[in-house]
Amino acid sequence: MSIRVAINGFGRIGRLTMRAAATMPHIEIVAINDPFIPVDYMEYMYKYDSTHGRAGQEVSHDKEANTVIVDGKPITVFGEMDPSNIPWGSVGADYVVES
């Protein structure tokens, strides 16, 4: 059984959290919240990090579904300023990382 994690904030720490989770098969990233970054730029920033290099996964996005897709798994993206308004349970998150 995997631990389902959401990330609030997709700056440097949020992206590093997602990269670290990619190396741990028992952790699944299910959602990201960042009100300032559109999904196409999330894909780009994750894929081509200027400090940590290219991501080791296949990364894309679906603008209509508002998801970032990593190795074929869609990750729901929220754009909410107040994270208490996000229905984290709707994506099955067990934990939310504040980054």
Side-chain angles (χ1 to χ4, degrees):
M1 187 167 116
S2 64
I3 300 168
R4 298 171 57 89
V5 176
I7 300 172
N8 185 47
F10 206 59
R12 175 83 51 195
I13 294 170
R15 293 191 309 275
L16 286 175
T17 299
M18 196 156 128
R19 281 177 179 244
T23 67
M24 301 175 190
H26 63 285
I27 296 182
E28 177 185 2
I29 301 296
V30 294
I32 301 166
N33 178 54
D34 198 305
F36 305 109
I37 306 172
V39 292
D40 56 341
Y41 195 54
M42 281 185 180
E43 172 196 347
Y44 177 82
M45 290 187 341
Y46 184 73
K47 204 184 242 185
Y48 305 107
D49 190 281
S50 62
T51 301
H52 300 284
R54 291 185 178 205
Q57 302 86 25
E58 183 178 322
V59 185
S60 62
H61 72 279
D62 182 337
K63 198 172 243 182
E64 288 183 24
N66 212 36
T67 58
V68 172
I69 303 158
V70 178
D71 284 342
K73 297 176 185 173
I75 299 169
T76 301
V77 175
F78 297 105
E80 179 62 51
M81 290 292 290
D82 182 356
S84 68
N85 292 332
I86 297 171
W88 297 113
S90 71
V91 293
D94 298 314
Y95 297 96
V96 178
V97 174
E98 177 59 48
S99 63

